[in-house]
């Protein structure tokens, strides 16, 4: 009652404190929701504590490459030889642009997945229709999500109906609920993995083929350390000269602890980063600390007003304990009022925050006890931290020395404390500014770094139809357009295809071993992507022998310790030829990764890459017209190279924007507290 009277009596002071605490709490709540969502990934599976992804660690070539892809025979071998393992499944997921259709309806933008029959026994994705245990047993079966089933069949029952993929009929054997957003496995339909041996020439019986992610379900109460030790050398046991070791990654760790893993050919959109969990948690603590410091400063500044009240209370019999409780109660009441304001502020900011973070967060306290108790904890903690010093210090005043105590407080310990609090407040603010600046300059570096090739004005699409059958004729027709500068059938510069250590070169040190990766392109690869020659020349149609020769990057030459590489003999996986050129290093993958030793293989890639000038809209329209002429039975799907590269840093951009907004709120709060 007295607390409410004081709040009503000193409205300006109370309003300032409530606003300050509300901003700090609102930021904490938003961060709490974001952290809670990040930590929730893949935890909805009943057996999430016993599901592991196998990681292949390749130590060939003097490097350590940890990869999501593991040899395709790992799963069956573990089931046969290790009683700790109950089930396994190989998975590829996240791809789109596959030709799934029903009559004239085409669904190339949907995401696909393929897996072994035990997939739905390991992962508990709820089914609406069908039996998850048998849904993938038939080779020509397919399971659809609820959204896709509705899109394809409308209100008709999809069970038993036929859809086509790669001219193959697949029968719908199940309909599952849409995949939750907090699953690292994202797909709209899934079919048996065995089909990939026909459609993609994948291998399911190889110790070397590693383009599937393998998941296992272990029994409960096993010795996980022992299992790790036993399976670590399983690849070397079957391939004596292999330097690939195996490790286990808990399903719950996949989303937040996969940034250093090579996941080529296995698509996991929007991976998280445990580092950002730590950073944002620290930011939440710092911003809440700012609010508490401001509250304490304001409280101590009003000590002369409250000192008389304390003196009278003590004269009438109040104990120090009573006064401490009174002050803390007032602070906690203010914190509750601030919480109400913070909740309103969060509801206002959530749509914008969700847009920035690409999340679907909501403050549903009735169905989320964790959030409810977390908010309750924030209120109590904020109230105690903010009110402790004023309560303890002011309650120590003696009735006979109230005015002397006030004077001492203003010039002595109290004044020193306020200086410490103000310095702390601005130190925290400066720390937040520095962190924001670091993130900004990191993003600036990413956006402006010279990658070593031209990523602008390049559009690519799959080489179906005539583009695959007679590429040269199709290319010449495209070049009739004056805005098309160059056309190459290639894979755009990327992280590089599967590495090999089966390399011999002239003058090689017998003890030296490197891993060489490959980019695929034709004679126009150099021109299309504007790569720079460091020595020698690129492949040319004028030299028929170039089909047996090699062009490498600078990192490969340095790794091989070749001072004068041009003309040296080189053998890669049994293919012998001469080094005719060296291109300057270029970043094909993310800037997080080191540049790999690479050979540019003179092979036609899967994509048609077109470099153009002029209007983007006009060139897309022209290419679409040509597509309908050359590939009439497929929809035109394309992508811009600069957008694909930009996608490497989606998470960083989101984090940068969110961090900037939070720091802005903290600065405004800090500025509003100057009294």
């Amino acid at each position: 009652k007295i607390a409410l009277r004081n709040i009503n009596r000193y409205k300006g002071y109370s309003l300032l404190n409530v606003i300050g605490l509300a901003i700090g709490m609102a930021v904490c709540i938003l961060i709490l929701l974001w952290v809670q969502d990040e930590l929730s990934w893949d935890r909805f599976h009943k057996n999430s504590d016993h599901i592991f992804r196998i990681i292949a660690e390749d130590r060939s070539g003097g490097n350590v490459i940890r990869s999501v892809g593991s040899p395709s025979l790992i799963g069956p071998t573990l089931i046969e030889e290790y009683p700790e393992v109950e089930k396994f499944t190989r998975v590829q997921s996240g791809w789109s642009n596959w030709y799934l259709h029903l009559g004239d309806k085409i669904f190339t933008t949907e995401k696909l997945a393929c897996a072994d029959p035990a997939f739905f026994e390991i992962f508990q994705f709820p089914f609406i229709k069908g039996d998850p245990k048998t849904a993938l047993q038939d080779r020509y079966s397919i399971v659809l999500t609820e959204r896709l089933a509705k899109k394809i069949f409308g209100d008709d029952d999809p069970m038993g109906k036929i859809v086509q993929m790669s001219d193959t009929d697949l029968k719908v054997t199940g309909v599952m609920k849409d995949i939750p957003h907090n699953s690292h496995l994202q797909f709209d339909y899934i079919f048996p993995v065995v089909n990939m041996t026909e459609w993609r020439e994948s291998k399911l019986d190889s110790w070397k083929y590693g383009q599937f992610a393998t998941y296992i379900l272990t029994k409960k109460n096993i010795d996980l350390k022992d299992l790790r030790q036993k399976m670590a050398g399983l690849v070397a046991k079957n391939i004596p000269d292999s330097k690939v070791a195996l490790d286990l990654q808990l399903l719950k760790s996949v989303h937040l602890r996969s940034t250093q893993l090579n996941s080529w050919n296995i698509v996991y959109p929007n991976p998280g980063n445990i580092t950002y969990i730590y950073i944002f948690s620290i930011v939440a603590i710092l911003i809440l600390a700012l609010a508490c410091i401001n509250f304490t400063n304001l409280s101590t500044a009003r000590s002369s007003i409250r000192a008389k009240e304390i003196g009278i209370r003590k004269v009438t019999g109040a104990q120090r304990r009573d006064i401490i409780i009174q002050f803390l109660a007032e602070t906690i009441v203010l914190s509750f009022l601030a919480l109400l304001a913070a909740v309103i502020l969060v509801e206002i900011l959530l749509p914008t925050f969700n847009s920035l973070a690409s999340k679907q967060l909501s403050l549903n306290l009735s169905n989320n006890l964790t959030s409810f108790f977390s908010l309750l904890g924030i209120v109590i903690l904020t109230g105690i931290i903010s009110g402790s010093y004023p309560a303890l210090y002011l309650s120590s005043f003696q009735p006979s020395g109230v005015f002397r105590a006030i004077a001492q407080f203003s010039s002595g310990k109290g004044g020193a404390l306020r200086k410490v609090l103000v310095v702390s407040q601005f130190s925290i603010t400066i720390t937040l500014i520095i962190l924001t600046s670091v993130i900004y300059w990191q993003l600036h570096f990413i956006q402006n770094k010279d990658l070593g090739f031209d990523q602008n004005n390049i559009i690519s699409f799959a080489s179906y139809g005539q583009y695959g059958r007679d590429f040269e004729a199709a290319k010449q027709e495209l070049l009739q357009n004056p805005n098309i500068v160059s056309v190459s059938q290639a894979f755009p510069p990327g992280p590089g295809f599967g590495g090999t250590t089966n390399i011999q070169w002239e003058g090689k040190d017998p003890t030296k071993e490197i891993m060489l990766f490959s980019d695929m392109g034709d004679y126009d690869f150099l021109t299309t992507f504007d790569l720079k020659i460091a020595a020698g020349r690129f492949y040319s149609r004028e030299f028929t022998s170039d089909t047996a020769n090699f062009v490498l990057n600078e990192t490969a030459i340095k790794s091989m310790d070749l001072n004068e590489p041009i003309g040296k003999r080189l053998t890669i996986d049994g293919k012998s030829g001469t080094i005719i050129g060296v291109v300057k290093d270029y970043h094909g993958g993310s800037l997080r990764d080191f540049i790999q030793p690479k050979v540019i293989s003179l092979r036609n890639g899967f994509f048609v890459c077109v470099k153009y000038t002029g209007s983007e809209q006009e060139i897309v329209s022209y290419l679409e017209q040509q597509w309908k002429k050359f590939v009439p039975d497929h929809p035109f799907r394309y992508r811009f190279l600069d957008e694909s590269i930009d996608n490497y840093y989606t998470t960083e951009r989101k984090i940068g924007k969110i961090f900037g907004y939070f720091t802005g709120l903290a600065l405004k709060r800090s500025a509003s507290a100057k009294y």
Side-chain angles (χ1 to χ4, degrees):
K1 186 177 179 180
I2 295 172
L4 292 175
R5 283 179 177 175
N6 277 322
I7 291 171
N8 183 60
R9 183 178 180 185
Y10 303 108
K11 295 181 180 67
Y13 162 79
S14 301
L15 182 63
L16 187 60
N17 264 328
V18 167
I19 291 174
L21 289 175
I23 292 175
M25 286 182 179
V27 172
C28 278
I29 292 170
L30 289 172
I31 292 178
L32 173 67
L33 292 174
W34 183 84
V35 169
Q36 185 181 33
D37 180 80
E38 288 290 290
L39 294 176
S40 73
W41 279 62
D42 297 309
R43 293 173 183 261
F44 56 87
H45 298 291
K46 182 178 66 175
N47 298 316
S48 59
D49 288 325
H50 308 287
I51 300 173
F52 296 87
R53 183 171 67 179
I54 294 177
I55 302 300
E57 189 174 276
D58 193 341
R59 296 181 175 271
S60 304
N63 298 314
V64 178
I65 300 175
R66 288 171 57 82
S67 176
V68 170
S70 57
S72 55
L73 273 176
I74 290 295
T77 304
L78 290 176
I79 291 292
E80 290 178 6
E81 300 182 9
Y82 295 83
E84 299 96 329
V85 180
E86 283 190 353
K87 299 181 186 301
F88 84 95
T89 182
R90 291 160 290 201
V91 179
Q92 285 180 340
S93 68
W95 298 351
S96 59
N97 292 334
W98 274 47
Y99 194 47
L100 176 70
H101 66 103
L102 175 66
D104 295 333
K105 293 182 178 180
I106 301 173
F107 307 95
T108 55
T109 58
E110 316 300 330
K111 295 177 182 177
L112 67 85
C114 61
D116 286 292
F119 179 85
F120 288 114
E121 296 182 70
I122 296 174
F123 299 101
Q124 283 72 52
F125 292 108
F127 266 55
I128 298 172
K129 295 183 178 182
D131 184 352
K133 292 183 179 180
T134 60
L136 295 178
Q137 285 186 354
D138 189 310
R139 174 171 184 161
Y140 300 110
S141 59
I142 187 170
V143 175
L144 310 176
T145 60
E146 184 178 14
R147 183 195 64 80
L148 183 57
K150 180 77 172 177
K151 186 175 181 180
I152 296 177
F153 297 103
D155 295 329
D156 294 342
D157 185 356
M159 294 296 291
K161 299 287 179 63
I162 301 296
V163 294
Q164 291 79 36
M165 175 178 286
S166 298
D167 300 321
T168 302
D169 288 347
L170 300 179
K171 184 170 72 173
V172 178
T173 54
V175 177
M176 55 185 290
K177 288 187 177 181
D178 294 338
I179 304 294
H181 78 280
N182 57 346
S183 169
H184 81 280
L185 296 169
Q186 291 289 327
F187 55 90
D188 298 296
Y189 60 95
I190 183 170
F191 52 82
V193 71
V194 65
N195 289 298
M196 299 301 273
T197 60
E198 177 183 346
W199 297 340
R200 295 277 298 189
E201 299 182 355
S202 300
K203 298 177 178 64
L204 298 182
D205 57 354
S206 171
W207 281 102
K208 292 185 177 180
Y209 189 87
Q211 294 183 11
F212 294 106
T214 302
Y215 296 83
I216 61 173
L217 174 65
T218 64
K219 294 179 180 178
K220 298 178 181 179
N221 302 319
I222 66 168
D223 187 337
L224 194 59
K225 183 179 180 181
D226 180 60
L227 176 61
R228 275 195 165 100
Q229 290 176 345
K230 287 195 299 183
M231 64 178 287
L234 190 56
V235 178
K237 179 181 175 182
N238 290 274
I239 305 178
D241 60 344
S242 174
K243 294 184 179 180
V244 175
L246 301 178
D247 196 7
L248 295 175
Q249 182 183 32
L250 184 64
L251 179 66
K252 293 179 179 179
S253 301
V254 168
H255 176 62
L256 292 174
R257 300 182 184 273
S258 297
T259 54
Q260 300 301 316
L261 296 177
N262 182 356
S263 60
W264 180 83
N265 213 32
I266 301 166
V267 180
Y268 298 133
N270 301 321
N273 191 328
I274 191 65
T275 303
Y276 296 139
I277 300 293
Y278 299 142
I279 290 174
F280 274 95
S281 298
I282 292 171
V283 168
I285 293 171
L286 291 177
I287 291 178
L288 191 60
L290 276 177
C292 293
I293 289 172
N294 290 331
F295 184 94
T296 303
N297 270 329
L298 290 172
S299 297
T300 53
R302 296 179 67 252
S303 57
S304 60
I305 299 174
R306 302 303 298 270
K308 297 177 182 178
E309 173 192 338
I310 293 166
I312 294 174
R313 284 180 179 279
K314 286 197 171 185
V315 167
T316 56
Q319 301 295 316
R320 186 180 185 187
R321 179 189 61 187
D322 301 319
I323 296 173
I324 291 174
I325 293 173
Q326 172 65 32
F327 273 91
L328 291 179
E330 289 183 21
T331 307
I332 292 174
V333 168
L334 281 174
S335 295
F336 270 109
L337 293 175
L339 176 63
L340 294 176
V343 168
I344 295 172
L345 187 59
V346 167
E347 292 291 352
I348 294 172
L349 294 176
L350 258 179
T352 303
F353 184 73
N354 281 332
S355 177
L356 288 173
S358 297
K359 295 284 188 183
Q360 303 170 20
L361 307 177
S362 63
L363 189 61
N364 191 352
L365 299 179
S366 59
N367 295 325
N368 193 334
L369 290 178
T370 301
S371 294
F372 176 79
F373 285 112
S374 297
L375 295 184
L376 188 62
I378 289 175
V379 167
I380 296 173
L381 183 66
T382 303
I384 292 175
I385 292 175
S386 302
S388 290
Y389 184 80
L392 293 172
Y393 187 81
L394 295 177
S395 64
S396 66
F397 291 174
Q398 296 299 320
S400 58
V402 164
F403 294 106
R404 184 172 64 252
I406 293 171
Q408 290 175 350
F409 178 81
S410 300
S411 59
K413 295 181 180 179
L417 173 69
R418 290 177 61 194
K419 291 177 183 178
V420 170
L421 291 176
V422 170
V423 170
S424 299
Q425 172 188 345
F426 284 102
S427 297
I428 292 172
T429 304
I430 291 170
T431 300
L432 291 174
I433 293 173
I434 292 172
L435 289 174
T436 304
S437 300
V438 169
I439 293 174
Y440 169 79
W441 286 112
Q442 182 77 352
L443 290 172
H444 182 270
F445 171 80
I446 288 171
Q447 292 166 354
N448 294 278
K449 170 68 176 175
D450 181 6
L451 300 180
F453 67 96
D454 190 358
Q455 60 178 307
N456 299 311
N457 293 352
I458 295 178
I459 186 172
S460 64
F461 48 88
S463 55
Y464 291 133
Q466 187 173 338
Y467 287 112
R469 292 190 303 268
D470 190 357
F471 172 70
E472 283 300 321
K475 180 179 79 170
Q476 292 305 319
E477 190 156 345
L478 290 181
L479 289 173
Q480 297 302 312
N481 187 315
N483 289 326
I484 292 182
V485 178
S486 178
V487 181
S488 175
Q489 193 173 25
F491 281 93
F497 293 94
T500 179
T501 57
N502 186 13
I503 313 166
Q504 299 295 325
W505 63 88
E506 190 178 333
K508 178 186 177 183
D509 182 344
T511 63
K512 191 171 187 62
E513 182 182 66
I514 70 167
M515 180 170 285
L516 196 63
F517 294 85
S518 175
D519 272 348
M520 297 182 191
D522 59 11
Y523 294 102
D524 298 302
F525 186 83
L526 184 84
T527 304
T528 302
F529 297 102
D530 196 23
L531 299 178
K532 303 296 187 293
I533 289 289
R537 61 177 177 82
F538 198 68
Y539 301 111
S540 172
R541 293 180 178 85
E542 297 178 3
F543 300 91
T544 57
S545 61
D546 275 1
T547 55
N549 293 329
F550 301 101
V551 174
L552 287 77
N553 68 351
E554 291 175 310
T555 296
I557 298 300
K558 292 175 185 175
S559 300
M560 297 161 70
D561 294 330
L562 288 175
N563 294 323
E564 297 180 0
I566 305 303
K568 295 289 176 66
R569 297 293 294 174
L570 174 64
T571 302
I572 303 175
D573 288 334
K575 175 188 173 183
S576 296
T578 302
I579 300 174
I580 60 170
V582 179
V583 297
K584 291 187 176 182
D585 282 338
Y586 57 93
H587 285 274
S590 167
L591 290 172
R592 304 183 196 94
D593 304 323
F594 293 108
I595 294 177
Q596 301 167 331
K598 278 189 178 181
V599 56
I600 299 177
S601 301
L602 187 59
R603 295 169 56 190
N604 291 341
F606 179 68
F607 295 97
V608 178
C609 304
V610 177
K611 186 170 184 62
Y612 65 91
T613 59
S615 168
E616 176 183 297
Q617 186 176 357
E618 289 180 5
I619 203 68
V620 169
S621 177
Y622 172 75
L623 291 174
E624 187 169 12
Q625 291 175 8
Q626 295 299 109
W627 178 270
K628 290 177 180 178
K629 176 180 175 182
F630 294 146
V631 196
D633 57 344
H634 280 63
F636 183 53
R637 304 293 178 190
Y638 61 91
R639 60 184 177 184
F640 293 98
L641 180 58
D642 55 353
E643 292 179 358
S644 299
I645 293 173
D646 202 43
N647 288 338
Y648 286 134
Y649 314 108
T650 300
T651 301
E652 281 77 5
R653 287 197 307 276
K654 291 176 185 174
I655 296 299
K657 288 181 180 179
I658 295 170
F659 204 94
Y661 278 104
F662 284 162
T663 301
L665 285 172
L667 291 176
K668 289 180 180 179
R669 173 64 191 96
S670 183
S672 70
K674 294 178 180 178
Y675 47 85

